[in-house]
Amino acid sequence: MKQIKYTGSFILAAILLLSTTLSSCKKDSEFFNIEDPQGIDSKIWEDEGAVGLFLNRTYGLIIPQWPVPGTAPGNIHITSDEMNGGNTAFLYGTLVENSVTDLGTGNTITTNRYFDIRRCNLALEGIDSSKAIPLATKKILRGQFYFLRAYTYFRMVSLYGGIPLVLKVQELSNEGIPAVPRAKTSECIAAIVRDFDSAAANLPATWATTEAGRVTRGTAMAMKGKTLLFWASPQFNPTNIASRWEDAYQANKAAYDQCVADGYALVTRYSDIFLTEDHKEAMIVRKYTTTRDWGTNIEAITRPSSESPSGSGSFQPTWNLVQAYGMSDGLPTSHASSGYSANQFWINRDPRFDATIAYNGALWALSGKATRRQWQYNGVIDETSSTIVTGFYNRRFCNTTLTPTQAVYASSTGGGSGMDWIEMRFAEVIMNLAECANETGRLADAKNYVRAIRQRAGIVAGSYDYGLGVATDAASMRTLLLNERQVEFAMEGKRYNDLRRTRNLGLLAARQSYKLAPKSPYFAGALPSGGPVAGRIYLDVPNTQGQRPRDTVNINNLASFSMVFTLPGTVASLEGSNVVSIPNKYYFYALPNWFSQNFFIEQTQGWVNGTFDPLQ
């Protein structure tokens, strides 16, 4: 096998043409000699290269891409209180029956997830029937298709509860609707678990470096554990059936042990997770490069406008997220011994704060400028005012060595960071296990796992055991774990799922910004057209020594800092007059409208004409 690359809409046309395939690549002219009216030639199962092409495209259709904040329906699932952008219909409780269309919107390969399921079913049956592919190769191919089928079902069931369960090749109707009713959620969970078990039994422990991006047995076991964690969590388990938590614990413990044995581990530096590739923490990955048609513009859109021609400040952290970080010894800022300063909120914080949050005056060496400081106070001349939304920028996805021009990606020329998207990493396996341990009475074990996460982050032991001393029972540890997940996975789009899975969407409040304003005699912006006004100090204008006055401010000295800026800064809501309100029915969404064409497929309870109970 050769390395797979799959990214963006280009995958739909190009992956069948590129030589990112299994060995013995079939000629394009032969591959496109399609006999099956739905696009599959049964002869491909006798050709290892053709199956490789088919597998690569299936990866490309199923493995998630880089999430991008915005208002489109697909961004519902990364909408929370941690960043700007997001889907306001979700936040304000105005989603309707056809708002969440992850199952699909029609009868094409890119608009209907049941085509993904069908691809996996075709492959599993076709590979079994093959007389030409060696048994050892069959085993590894089957493992990947089992994983991809289970992963597709897991993502759908987490949104809708039970859905039509199709595990054999079935012709889809003209509308792309499976011709079976919705299965009980419990039946779907059982099928997903079986598939992940089958995947783990067939997949290797590791792949060669040229195969980075393919799933392993440890990844399959981790996803089985995650599936059972969801099934045990309040979203699916509001009556808290204890046996589900024990099953989840055992599965996640087995996954953790296997992952450790197979070489998965936390990378040394938290800040390196999205700046280096193919490291030992990455488990589910979508591959990107800096070459044309295979890249991502995430670097450019995340940067402030001063350091990218297309910088727009996507993924801007909110004041809500800033407040979630604890102190350098792990204590929450609310603790009496924390030493937290509201005016200098960045001092002595959890090191993951500095790895994620670019605040006013923070050293941020973008474009290789070692002494560069980031400023976004009101009226600052460097940034366009429209990009300063929350008062903070996200540092996690930005490679400081790239120039502004290099940061930009275009499909015709390439560029950008080429950074892979990591959908699942080993830290999540640890956190999933910690949660299951806590819910099954293993508080000490839960603390051990979180302690490892905090030690890697650079938190010091202090007087409260890395801050874990504040958790004295399952309830307080549950609160600590939810906050830990928010911090550890900040800006990765996990917050939405964590709140939904734990039935904590009620914790979502109005997203807040925190803005600083200079105070007289200090002023922001360029010099007036008539020249400087006597007595004023222009923060953005270099003085006779070539220094901008703002860069001489010692932000860690309160007297110096408060002399230049009005403290405290202004906290404002991004929601305006809108009220964040999440209805209970959002824990299980309505099936898209096109399912109503089959009368026997029930709608989800709580939605119009809904009769299907997703808790069964």
Side-chain angles (χ1 to χ4, degrees), residues 590-613:
L591 296 186
N593 287 347
W594 53 284
F595 271 83
S596 64
Q597 297 175 56
N598 276 12
F599 70 91
F600 54 79
I601 297 181
E602 299 175 75
Q603 186 54 282
T604 309
Q605 285 181 355
W607 301 85
V608 173
N609 298 322
T611 57
F612 180 83
D613 182 1

Side-chain angles (χ1 to χ4, degrees), residues 167-191:
L167 301 176
K168 297 292 183 182
V169 175
Q170 178 187 88
E171 298 303 321
L172 299 178
S173 71
N174 289 336
E175 295 78 27
I177 304 171
V180 295
R182 294 178 77 167
K184 291 181 179 180
T185 305
S186 56
E187 294 170 345
C188 291
I189 294 292

Side-chain angles (χ1 to χ4, degrees), residues 42-92:
S42 60
K43 290 184 291 187
I44 74 169
W45 311 119
E46 303 305 321
D47 188 296
E48 190 175 330
V51 178
L53 287 167
F54 189 81
L55 173 61
N56 286 347
R57 193 178 189 196
T58 307
Y59 267 99
L61 289 165
I62 292 174
I63 299 300
Q65 303 179 41
W66 269 97
V68 181
T71 58
N75 292 313
I76 289 171
H77 311 314
I78 61 169
T79 298
S80 73
D81 51 359
E82 73 176 0
M83 69 174 80
N84 65 321
N87 187 282
T88 53
F90 167 77
L91 288 172
Y92 307 154

Side-chain angles (χ1 to χ4, degrees), residues 471-503:
T472 57
D473 56 19
S476 54
M477 188 63 182
R478 190 178 301 128
T479 299
L480 185 149
L481 284 165
L482 186 60
N483 189 83
E484 188 70 16
R485 294 182 76 101
Q486 182 179 11
V487 169
E488 174 66 22
F489 304 119
M491 316 311 289
E492 295 181 40
K494 307 294 187 190
R495 175 73 168 164
Y496 161 91
N497 281 318
D498 284 337
L499 293 177
R500 195 163 169 270
R501 175 178 60 80
T502 59
R503 286 189 178 260

Side-chain angles (χ1 to χ4, degrees), residues 57 84 103 149 177 307-308 317 360 377 402 463 526 546 581 609:
R57 193 178 189 196
N84 65 321
L103 277 172
R149 183 172 72 176
I177 304 171
E307 293 297 332
S308 171
N360 268 293
Y377 47 77
L402 298 179
S463 302
S581 176
N609 298 322

